[in-house]
Amino acid sequence: MTAATTGAESAGAAKRGRPTISDVAAHAGVSKGLVSFALNDRPGVSAETRERIFAAAEELGWRPSVRARSLSVDRSFALGLVIGRNADVIAADPFFHAFIAGVESEFSTSGQVLVLAAATPGREEAETYRGLAADKRVDGVILTDLRASDERVPLVVELGLAAVTLGRPDQASPFPAVSVDDGAGIRTAVDHLVSLGHRRIAHVAGPDTMLHGHRRTVAFESAMHEAGLDDPVVVTTDFSASEGARATRDLLERSDRPSAIVYSNDHMALAGIAVARRAGIAVPEELSITGFDNTELADHVFPSLTSVATDAVAWGAVAARTLLSSIAGQAPGDVQLDAPRLVVRESTARPPT
């Protein structure tokens, strides 16, 4: 019996029911063991044979059984993302939606499952990680919103999980980091406003305990000093729209009201536009506003929002690929994503004379 004949018979079997790994092997003209090696990305399979096996699996519509794969290689084929923020903030922030979409775009093609959890930083968060590690419920985790001397780094090491961090921790870490230069994005926003003639510029920042929030604040202050503008005004928030609105009201009530505000995310900037307009302050004629993340809504509000563009979907995809490489034992290095760029729209203009 030829391989072609066997392949035809296996294709017929696949049509009668769910195709099996035996069907894939017969269709590709190789052994079941070789198919298993190829599909689990193990060495010993030539590129040509691997390609033929993948083509056979695709043609038959074969999909791996996660349960069977877990038993055969002692892995869960699940990866965790624990977000240490209020659930309402997570639900409302478009960054997380885009980031998770990027993660899922990689996991969906590799047969992984994303386990998502929200937990209050501290004991609840630590117990969540311990629960995920118990009985190997996940093979690895993505660490977001890094904090100063982040306790999660040594905890995940202790639990024996693979991990990738978003940004570089301020401590020793064995995990690869996928980073974007937050500071460069804030500096481009400040430089843009200074070039328009603004001198009274304030910053609505995220929590200073989060490393990326702190980096953005430091970058803002540095850019202001470099422009010869001393005593920069910074208002700290929790990144939520409600806190962004509160910070905006406080700034607009000052006797030395700013002519421009740099926000640490689009979510707060959009709330700031609404607060200003309700107070009878025209944007951008009387107040210029910039955001961060360049979410889809930035282009569709009025006035449209000038924002620092980062690619959250790509960030999620790269983080997922890096974590998968780490789990496969490939020891990936740190990844630095493209520098943010400023997308100038209608919410910024020259200051009022």
Side-chain angles (χ1 to χ4, degrees), residues 233-271:
V233 176
V234 177
V235 182
T236 301
T237 73
D238 63 0
F239 275 131
S240 69
S242 60
E243 280 284 283
R246 187 268 306 166
T248 305
R249 284 191 291 268
D250 291 347
L251 288 170
L252 297 183
E253 290 172 358
R254 292 172 61 107
S255 58
D256 56 344
R257 190 179 82 195
S259 65
I261 304 176
V262 174
Y263 291 82
S264 201
N265 66 18
D266 280 4
H267 203 41
M268 296 193 294
L270 296 175

Side-chain angles (χ1 to χ4, degrees), residues 83-93 96-97 117-121 124 267:
I83 304 175
R85 295 199 201 182
N86 182 288
D88 292 338
V89 175
I90 298 170
D93 192 338
F96 285 109
H97 306 169
T120 303
E124 179 186 347
H267 203 41

